[in-house]
């Protein structure tokens, strides 16, 4: 048994690293436990919304992110057969935020920046290749049990523990909490391609949601490549999703006959799509943040952003609890973050996903008319921009 830590953060994903950075900056020591041997470089989130950039100002990293990322000041909603439905220009938020755009920047690069800045910090320690198996509250703290790569069992004690260990969170399971909600009957097939999609679709934005009754697509530009995310029925097998000829056929259907014989594809991934929230984000001295507490469809790019918001709001409440012994702020922040996950993140991503994947032609047509009506009404459009950029949820 080792000396009690101030805080143990489980998981070195973008949310855990945000928590660690915010906590050490406020004078609290952090021990981070990460199951992997190094940071994940999986491609996942790539959109940073305006309020997230505002919050990250205190870390002094926004300049570097802006320099290395792409500024997407518009996003489009299209229909595969009917073309452009509506375009939203985030520059209309110019009087609401310093950052009236989405920043396209990969989450693994964000995590690398945070880890680089944390690595020399005297209040920060990271333990790689150690998987947390359980947490248990004891008289004056929380005991965290984990297993190292060589099978050694390790026990640590902290005043507070934050589970930022992703969707399959061992911390959440140890608390007896499930992620409640549903899984959509689709999976996302995600391809990276250097093909210039902007030549095929005139005036294409950097972020595009393309509705279709069979296979809707998100087309997202990140600094080096386009990401093409096909929403595919969940009865398509893994082998068929990864099948090279089937991938080329999907791309051909999207691009049309004038495309090259073989569209370049540099990576292939697929994911199930969930809409789930834990019943509680706090049990005693243990809190959940990010995907450990809530997972949602990626349509709208809110998952990681809301996880970073969890971290930035939980950190000062933990600091207050440690310094004053008053943990009322923790109770409030845990309840508030859960409500945001339900009322903002779930509501917006569910609406986006349902619209994009709607199969009934009449309903799709009605949805398109409703979206066009919203986009052409300045007051409604502004309200929607505030909601979908998450500004409304943090103001
Ligand atoms: C295809 C895709 C596209 C997405 N696009 C967007 C987007 O554009 N915008 C957006 O906001 N969100 C997006 N998301 C969601 C976003 O990727 C997640 O919300 C984000 O990764 C959550 O971060 P996290 O730190 O909570 O969890 P994770 O990134 O999952 O990190 C958890 C960490 O915990 C570690 N860990 C797990 N179990 C243990 C254990 N028992 N012990 C120790 N360590 C453990 C893992 O190794 C990992 O490093 C997307 C997701 C997907 C799948």
């Amino acid at each position: 048994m080792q000396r009690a830590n101030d805080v143990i953060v489980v998981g070195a994903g973008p949310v855990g690293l945000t928590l660690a950075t915010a906590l050490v900056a406020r004078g609290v020591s952090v021990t981070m436990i990460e199951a992997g041997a190094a940071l994940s470089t999986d491609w996942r989130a790539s959109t940073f919304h305006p309020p997230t950039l505002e919050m990250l100002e205190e870390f002094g990293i926004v300049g570097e992110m802006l320099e290395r990322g792409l500024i997407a000041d518009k996003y489009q909603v299209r229909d595969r057969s009917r073309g452009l439905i509506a375009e939203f220009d985030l520059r209309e938020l110019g009087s609401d935020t310093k950052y009236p755009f989405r920043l396209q920047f990969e989450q693994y690069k964000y995590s690398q920046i945070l880890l680089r800045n944390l690595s020399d910090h005297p209040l920060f320690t990271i333990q790689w290749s150690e998987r947390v198996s359980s947490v248990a509250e004891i008289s004056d703290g929380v005991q965290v049990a984990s297993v190292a790569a060589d099978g050694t069992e390790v026990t640590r004690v902290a005043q507070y523990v934050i589970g930022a260990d992703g969707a399959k969170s061992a911390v959440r399971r140890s608390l007896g909490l499930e992620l409640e909600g549903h899984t959509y009957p689709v999976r996302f097939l995600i391809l990276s391609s250097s093909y210039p999609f902007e030549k095929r679709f005139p005036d294409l934005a950097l972020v595009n949601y393309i509705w279709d009754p069979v296979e809707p697509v998100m087309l997202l530009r990140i600094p080096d490549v386009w990401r093409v995310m096909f929403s595919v029925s969940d009865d398509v097998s893994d082998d068929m999703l990864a099948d090279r000829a089937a991938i080329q056929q999907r791309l051909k259907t999207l691009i049309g006959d004038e495309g090259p014989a073989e569209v370049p594809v540099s990576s292939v991934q697929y994911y199930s799509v969930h809409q789930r929230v834990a019943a509680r984000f706090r049990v005693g001295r243990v809190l959940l943040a990010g995907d450990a507490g809530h997972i949602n469809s990626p349509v709208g790019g809110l998952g990681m952003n809301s996880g970073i918001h969890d971290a930035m709001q939980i950190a000062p409440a933990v600091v207050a609890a440690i310094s004053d012994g008053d943990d009322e702020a923790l109770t409030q922040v845990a309840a508030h973050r859960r409500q945001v996950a339900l009322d903002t993140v779930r509501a917006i991503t569910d609406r986006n996903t349902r619209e994009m994947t709607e199969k009934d032609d009449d309903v799709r047509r009605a949805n398109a008319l409703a979206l066009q009506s919203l986009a052409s009404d300045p007051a409604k459009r502004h309200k929607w921009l505030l909601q979908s950029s998450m500004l409304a949820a943090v103001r």
Side-chain angles (χ1 to χ4, degrees), residues 116-136:
R116 179 195 71 200
N117 292 355
L118 277 167
S119 53
D120 293 333
H121 202 291
L123 293 175
F124 178 74
T125 314
I126 185 161
Q127 181 60 57
W128 298 102
S129 305
E130 203 174 293
R131 183 169 288 279
V132 168
S133 46
S134 66
V135 293

Side-chain angles (χ1 to χ4, degrees), residues 7 53 60 85 92 105 129 159 170 220 235 252 267 278 298 323 377:
V7 177
L53 295 170
I85 297 171
E92 290 180 30
F105 186 63
S129 305
Q159 295 190 52
L220 309 176
D235 55 17
K252 199 149 234 23
S267 77
S323 54
D377 178 318

Side-chain angles (χ1 to χ4, degrees), residues 10-16 33-36 40 43-47 107 130-132 164-167 170 190 229 271 289-292 298 301-306:
V10 185
V15 174
I33 305 175
E34 165 57 45
S40 164
W43 182 80
R44 291 174 69 183
S46 58
T47 290
Q107 81 173 46
E130 203 174 293
R131 183 169 288 279
V132 168
D165 49 342
I190 305 166
M229 300 173 67
Y271 289 97
D291 279 18
L302 306 190
M304 176 194 66
N305 283 268
S306 59

Side-chain angles (χ1 to χ4, degrees), residues 216-249:
V217 192
M218 285 193 274
L219 258 182
L220 309 176
R221 182 74 210 188
I222 54 172
D224 303 327
V225 286
W226 280 99
R227 292 284 180 173
V228 191
M229 300 173 67
F230 289 96
S231 164
V232 179
S233 168
D234 66 353
D235 55 17
V236 178
S237 68
D238 289 2
D239 285 350
M240 274 314 289
L241 277 181
D243 181 74
R244 194 170 157 181
I247 286 173
Q248 286 298 322
Q249 185 52 41

Side-chain angles (χ1 to χ4, degrees), residues 86-88 92 369-385:
E87 179 173 89
F88 293 90
E92 290 180 30
L369 286 173
L371 195 66
Q372 280 166 343
S373 147
L374 182 153
S376 59
D377 178 318
K380 287 187 186 155
R381 187 174 66 231
H382 187 240
K383 189 171 171 205
W384 170 244
L385 284 172

